[in-house]
Amino acid sequence: MEISHGMGAAVARASLGNFPLFSTFDLDEARARVSRVFCEHSLNVVGRSGRLGAEMYYRPLRGVGIGRMRYGASVSVDAGQLGDFALIQMPLSGAETIEHGGQTVLSDPSCASVLSPGQSLRFRHEESTEKLFIRIDRETLERHCRQHLGGDLRRPVVFDAAMHLQSPRAQAWVRLLNWLCQEISEDDASGAGMLQSPIYAAQIEQTVLTTLLLCQPHNYSARLADDTPMVAPSYVRKVERFIDDHADEPITIGDLAECAAVSTRSLFAGFRKFRNTTPMQYLKDVRLRRVREALISASPESTTVTAVAMRWGFTHLGHFTADYKRSFGESPSATLGR
């Protein structure tokens, strides 16, 4: 069985065999162990399929992880919304029917599924299915996309859910995964492999993210493909630095124009042209990220969402909650409660 000119199932199985995570015949244990890698979800055996025989192999590399798994039996999975990660699933055998963010994908060895953070996910994993998967932390993905675009992201990255592996662009992804599986086959837990090097792992992470962003269509593809020089003028970068340093202080558009020594009209025009946003939206996005950082590190026993939101200038809690969920795919109380 091959996935598009070279990703052999035997290669993937051999390369990940030295990183076993679990093997079980117990449905509840399988659900709990898979949840630790991905997120909480429901898991049910469908119909009179074969006996559950779940197993997973997994190798994390910084903000990226590559793994292989199967359930044995035909199962249905409902994950609600993906929050903190993107997920690419590439069946080595069998098939899955994916319902994701309003799209339906029949995924088999010729078609991978690309699942975006913040989008709903349900799927049926057929009895004979075994798959390779790549998990990417949401913050890692969005930071990398921001670095390429030279500015903030007003919306989360949302991919087309189907990756047709025979297409010319997808072939670059297949070749990369084939190479990465070969690298993992040379790796082990003893510390002797090249993947143990933080520098090498960082380069692999960057290559995986860049290849995915360039080969799979998403809502920022057109901007990434635009090779027109778009170096922002110094006053835009100066305002960004000012906001980053003073986001916890009362700031008006007049303050930002004064800092930049340009008119408010010029400031709006510069941000619209070079950042595809407005100065005040940039300020809001920075404050939302600071709230998230504070909630992740805080304890529910020592603080509240209201206190953190007010600390960063959000006085209308209904609007704040809606903006937060739109940006991060979960409510602020869910972030604090983890």
Side-chain angles (χ1 to χ4, degrees), residues 205-225:
E205 177 191 79
Q206 184 176 53
T207 302
V208 169
L209 292 166
T210 300
T211 304
L212 179 64
L213 287 169
L214 292 179
C215 80
Q216 180 65 7
H218 54 85
N219 53 332
Y220 290 101
S221 291
R223 287 178 60 189
L224 286 174

Side-chain angles (χ1 to χ4, degrees), residues 306-325:
T306 300
V308 176
M310 296 289 286
R311 163 77 175 79
W312 288 101
F314 295 100
T315 56
H316 193 298
L317 293 181
H319 291 165
F320 159 73
T321 300
D323 289 338
Y324 187 97
K325 190 169 184 179

Side-chain angles (χ1 to χ4, degrees), residues 55 91-92 129 156 170 237-238 248 253 262 306:
E55 63 179 15
L92 303 170
T129 303
R237 300 195 300 274
K238 185 175 183 180
D248 60 334
I253 188 62
V262 297
T306 300

